[in-house]
Amino acid sequence: MSRKVVIIGSGPAGHTAAIYASRACLEPLMLEGFMAGGVAAGGQLTTTTEVENFPGFPKGVDGIELMMNMREQSINNGTEILTETVGEIDLSSRPFKLKAYQNDQFMGDYEAETIIIATGATAKRLGLPGEETYWSKGMSACAVCDGGLPIYRDKPLVVIGGGDSACEEANYLTKFASHVHMLVRRDEFRASKTMANRTLKNEKITVHWNTEGVEVKGDGNLVSTVVVKNNKTDEITEIPAGGLFYAIGHKPNVDFLNGQVELDENGYIVTKPGTPETSIEGVFACGDVQDHKWRQAITAAGSGCMAALSAEHFLADQEG
Ligand code: FAD
Ligand code: NDP
């Protein structure tokens, strides 16, 4: 049986789409992912502790709890959810066809009149020694999300990366940190001139050129030191630091699309400006998989709403 709407992914974008689509009586099926993109169902917020900037929670909310609440709301409104990862998709004819898996185990074939892609993006990590111990205890890949937490306040912090994100995050962190050290692996930024100049002018930021992270050390509970290496001289030094932020780019979770939907030069799904419409009619994208700039739970949720409403309008037009 062909579904009216299949939603792929279960972060804030996917669940908001599910709530709207189910309330529009479209009986959506959500394939929420089985450890897809390196995270559990529920998406990136299940990897953090406190979310303090999602409206409606004046005292903040635990990331896992927020996502469990969204999941319950999707189900209560009539969404069917399967804990499966879409491995292959065929968008060459209608209805669209999908194959889903749990790891390598095939779970089922599905057909859909419309598809909402909400598979998010995965922040790249370096896998430095110490990362396993200190992730979320002084290490993060999202300064805007975590930078204001008490563990980072009034401490020296380190940012790795030389792109716009790294510059933006370093500048943002100067609001809280006593000082920010940026490790840039080349002798120039990748960031735009404006962003680079703003960063170089900021007296609370020291840029360490040709420098890479080597190891993260601490007391077992919190980070205290980042060991770095100058890749020109091989000199190893230690920077006292209360935190380390990776800003080395994100990888959108699009491998299963196998090139069937137009992507931009960074691998993000291209949507028509101001809409969730992709290059294929009836296929919509929302959240971080189509947004390299804002990457916040609330913007993902907002675009999930747009995707569901667009799918509803598309189906109504098809029915004439
Ligand atoms: P995601 O949350 O990435 O969810 C994508 C989902 O798709 C996942 O469930 C994944 O399992 C699933 N998936 C992937 N591939 C497949 C597939 N092939 N088949 C089926 N399912 C698939 N934002 C804030 O606004 N406030 C914060 O405080 C905040 N804190 C953060 C802390 C951390 C540590 C991180 C990493 C991010 C944080 N963010 C925060 C950013 C926020 O989490 C993201 O912007 C948001 O989760 C994006 O939502 P999404 O629905 O687009 O995708
Ligand atoms: P980018 O890919 O642009 O930059 C990644 C940075 O991380 C580069 O400096 C890169 O170094 C460095 N890097 C990558 N891998 C490693 C590694 N293994 N070790 C050390 N350093 C590494 O990603 P961004 O997230 O910064 O930006 C993505 C896109 O989003 C860009 O198009 C950007 O312009 C845009 N953006 C725009 C913003 C704005 O306009 N305000 C804000 C944020 C992002 P190298 O240069 O040597 O490859």
Side-chain angles (χ1 to χ4, degrees), residues 126 161-165 168 185-186 190 195 247-249 266 292:
L126 285 173
D164 280 323
S165 295
E168 199 167 76
R185 67 178 172 181
R186 292 186 290 137
R190 178 178 291 274
M195 201 66 100
I248 57 170
N266 295 310
H292 69 74

Side-chain angles (χ1 to χ4, degrees), residues 253-276:
N253 299 319
V254 292
D255 290 353
F256 68 99
L257 291 171
N258 208 13
Q260 294 174 83
V261 171
E262 186 187 350
L263 306 177
D264 70 13
E265 66 278 10
N266 295 310
Y268 289 81
I269 295 178
V270 174
T271 49
K272 291 188 191 133
T275 81

Side-chain angles (χ1 to χ4, degrees), residues 1-305:
M1 183 192 77
S2 176
R3 303 283 186 145
K4 286 197 177 73
V5 182
V6 170
I7 297 163
I8 313 173
S10 55
H15 278 300
T16 307
I19 291 162
Y20 275 79
S22 47
R23 290 177 65 77
C25 300
L26 298 176
E27 299 173 335
L29 169 67
M30 173 185 279
L31 298 166
E32 69 176 349
F34 182 82
M35 285 308 292
V39 294
Q44 294 171 59
L45 288 185
T46 64
T47 68
T48 190
T49 48
E50 208 65 5
V51 179
E52 294 178 334
N53 53 10
F54 199 84
F57 300 93
K59 294 184 177 141
V61 57
D62 176 76
I64 294 177
E65 186 187 339
L66 177 62
M67 294 320 301
M68 290 305 289
N69 283 344
M70 286 193 198
R71 190 177 193 274
E72 194 180 333
Q73 197 171 352
S74 295
I75 292 170
N76 288 348
N77 279 290
T79 303
E80 182 185 354
I81 300 183
L82 298 175
T83 310
E84 299 175 10
T85 297
V86 175
E88 290 139 62
I89 195 164
D90 180 0
L91 304 175
S92 63
S93 60
R94 290 164 202 273
F96 304 124
K97 296 175 185 56
L98 308 97
K99 287 185 187 298
Y101 298 81
Q102 284 186 349
N103 292 333
D104 290 339
Q105 190 184 347
F106 174 68
M107 299 302 288
D109 284 306
Y110 305 97
E111 291 188 345
E113 289 168 48
T114 64
I115 291 181
I116 295 177
I117 303 169
T119 47
T122 307
K124 292 184 198 159
R125 294 192 192 181
L126 285 173
L128 293 183
E131 192 175 302
E132 291 276 310
T133 309
Y134 294 109
W135 196 258
S136 292
K137 295 181 195 162
M139 289 187 77
S140 164
C142 184
V144 178
C145 319
D146 296 335
L149 294 175
I151 56 169
Y152 298 114
R153 291 209 176 225
D154 302 320
K155 293 186 182 157
L157 302 176
V158 174
V159 174
I160 300 184
D164 280 323
S165 295
C167 290
E168 199 167 76
E169 304 219 335
N171 279 286
Y172 178 78
L173 287 172
T174 59
K175 291 177 199 222
F176 314 103
S178 57
H179 198 80
V180 175
H181 298 270
M182 279 184 83
L183 311 186
V184 180
R185 67 178 172 181
R186 292 186 290 137
D187 59 3
E188 60 178 357
F189 282 127
R190 178 178 291 274
S192 61
K193 277 274 172 294
T194 316
M195 201 66 100
N197 287 340
R198 188 180 308 157
T199 306
L200 292 170
K201 274 192 202 144
N202 191 325
E203 288 176 355
K204 283 183 83 179
I205 299 176
T206 301
V207 182
H208 301 257
W209 304 107
N210 301 305
T211 302
E212 296 174 30
V214 173
E215 186 182 353
V216 184
K217 292 198 218 167
D219 63 3
N221 284 317
L222 288 174
V223 170
S224 62
T225 306
V226 178
V227 184
V228 307
K229 181 174 103 172
N230 182 305
N231 58 26
K232 288 274 186 226
T233 63
D234 283 343
E235 186 190 4
I236 303 266
T237 48
E238 294 195 347
I239 300 178
L244 171 61
F245 291 80
Y246 288 153
I248 57 170
H250 283 69
K251 183 183 178 306
N253 299 319
V254 292
D255 290 353
F256 68 99
L257 291 171
N258 208 13
Q260 294 174 83
V261 171
E262 186 187 350
L263 306 177
D264 70 13
E265 66 278 10
N266 295 310
Y268 289 81
I269 295 178
V270 174
T271 49
K272 291 188 191 133
T275 81
E277 294 167 23
T278 70
S279 56
I280 298 197
E281 257 196 324
V283 178
F284 305 92
C286 51
D288 285 14
V289 74
Q290 50 86 57
D291 170 18
H292 69 74
K293 186 159 183 187
W294 307 110
R295 296 192 306 237
Q296 296 297 300
I298 191 65
T299 49
S303 67
C305 164

